Amino acid sequence: MAKKSYTLMVVSDHNSPVKRFHIQRSFLIQLGVGVMLVGGVALGATAHYFQVAKDAAENRILREENLTLRGQLKSVRERIEHIGSTLDRVERFDQKLRAMTLLSDPQRNLAMGPTEPGNTAPTTDTQFTQLSHSEVPGVLLGKLDKLSAEATRQEQSLQELQAYFQDQKSLLASTPSVWPARGWVTSDFGQRLDPYTAERVTHAGLDIAAPHGKEIHAPSDGTVVFAGLEGGYGNVIVIDHGYGIKTRYGHLAKMLVKAGDKVKRGSLIAAVGNTGRSTGPHLHYEVRVNGIPQNPRKFILEE
């Protein structure tokens, strides 16, 4: 069977003879297959190129995100180290304050944690500052949880210390630590001869001789709970300073405060007089703690 072929004629514009080219059908088929293969390869190459370009762009984005995450993790590690070191310093300071204020005394049940050196838990410095650069976010989150718990414990401990010092500040403000009036102590606290009966009796305060009308000032903060006449003491003022402490002022010529008034240390409250059972102008001054007379001198800090 003869092979099929095609004749291609080329006709020139001039008088040249017509050129004929015989092309076998199989050649055309092979040529078409070849063109299709080349086209397929070109199309595949093009698709592969765009895929590679897309992957390269995604890889670049991932690298940038990875660098950003590494930077963030480094920052987190540094912050954890800083917080851990700070908490460690705060804990050491807290222990010093507790030692100074006896707040770690087990009998007071105020210590927040172990106080014996052998039982002390690792400090935040050893727990949190030695961080590996290969730590995963889960480990860092665990350390952050521990830091949060430690910070909460320290906050509670410092709140307790704040309450203690606030109470001490209030106690100091309420302690009658200055002289209520300037003068001469003519009769001290303790046993003495009564100037009227000549009998030995207990004198529950100090007698401070001063000119009539001499100013009397509150020796500490408090509330006036009584202002009026009281038997042989004449005009009397009683101030409640809290913490079971009360002060009493007798033989007053003039009372400048009334019951219910709030006074501060140094407030003018009265004037020296000679009212009641008195042999001359003076101030009878008492300090009572839970109702029991105390020597006022042990509270007075100034000369």
Side-chain angles (χ1 to χ4, degrees), residues 111-266:
M112 298 299 295
T115 56
E116 294 297 328
N119 298 329
T120 303
T123 63
T124 54
D125 184 55
T126 57
Q127 288 179 355
F128 302 119
T129 58
Q130 297 177 357
L131 300 177
S132 170
H133 290 287
S134 62
E135 286 175 323
V136 297
V139 176
L140 292 178
L141 288 175
K143 291 186 180 292
L144 284 173
D145 289 339
K146 290 181 180 180
L147 281 174
S148 178
E150 176 67 14
T152 300
R153 188 189 74 81
Q154 289 292 346
E155 181 183 21
Q156 293 173 348
S157 179
L158 293 176
Q159 285 175 348
E160 180 185 332
L161 284 170
Q162 181 187 28
Y164 172 80
F165 285 118
Q166 188 65 37
D167 185 67
Q168 291 302 301
K169 178 182 178 181
S170 178
L171 175 60
L172 288 174
S174 301
T175 302
S177 57
V178 299
W179 290 96
R182 287 296 181 177
W184 302 267
V185 177
T186 56
S187 184
D188 224 317
F189 177 85
Q191 295 292 319
R192 72 165 186 176
L193 294 177
D194 187 283
Y196 285 93
T197 64
E199 296 179 357
R200 182 163 292 277
V201 295
T202 299
H203 188 227
L206 298 176
D207 284 346
I208 303 172
H212 191 280
K214 179 74 172 181
E215 294 178 342
I216 299 172
H217 300 271
S220 59
D221 300 355
T223 302
V224 178
V225 294
F226 179 79
L229 285 171
E230 187 180 295
Y233 288 103
N235 292 327
V236 170
I237 289 175
V238 178
I239 300 177
D240 186 347
H241 303 279
Y243 302 93
I245 303 172
K246 290 183 179 179
T247 52
R248 179 186 299 265
Y249 314 82
H251 308 302
L252 306 175
K254 184 166 51 175
M255 297 179 289
L256 304 176
V257 291
K258 61 183 183 303
D261 287 351
K262 302 285 186 182
V263 296
K264 293 287 186 181
R265 178 178 285 125

Side-chain angles (χ1 to χ4, degrees), residues 41-156:
V41 170
L43 182 61
T46 303
H48 179 69
Y49 170 78
F50 284 111
Q51 183 63 42
V52 169
K54 179 181 178 183
D55 292 343
E58 291 179 352
N59 287 336
R60 181 177 55 80
I61 294 173
L62 288 175
R63 284 196 300 270
E64 291 176 354
E65 290 179 350
N66 189 31
L67 288 174
T68 302
L69 287 174
R70 286 184 180 180
Q72 291 175 349
L73 286 176
K74 181 180 179 182
S75 176
V76 169
R77 282 196 296 267
E78 291 174 351
R79 291 180 64 184
I80 289 177
E81 292 173 3
H82 177 71
I83 294 172
S85 299
T86 301
L87 284 176
D88 186 57
R89 290 195 301 272
V90 170
E91 184 171 356
R92 290 198 296 268
F93 184 61
D94 177 88
Q95 291 172 353
K96 288 181 182 179
L97 288 177
R98 287 178 175 278
M100 291 168 55
T101 59
L102 301 180
L103 276 175
S104 57
D105 186 350
Q107 295 182 352
R108 299 184 64 179
N109 296 319
L110 291 175
M112 298 299 295
T115 56
E116 294 297 328
N119 298 329
T120 303
T123 63
T124 54
D125 184 55
T126 57
Q127 288 179 355
F128 302 119
T129 58
Q130 297 177 357
L131 300 177
S132 170
H133 290 287
S134 62
E135 286 175 323
V136 297
V139 176
L140 292 178
L141 288 175
K143 291 186 180 292
L144 284 173
D145 289 339
K146 290 181 180 180
L147 281 174
S148 178
E150 176 67 14
T152 300
R153 188 189 74 81
Q154 289 292 346
E155 181 183 21
Q156 293 173 348

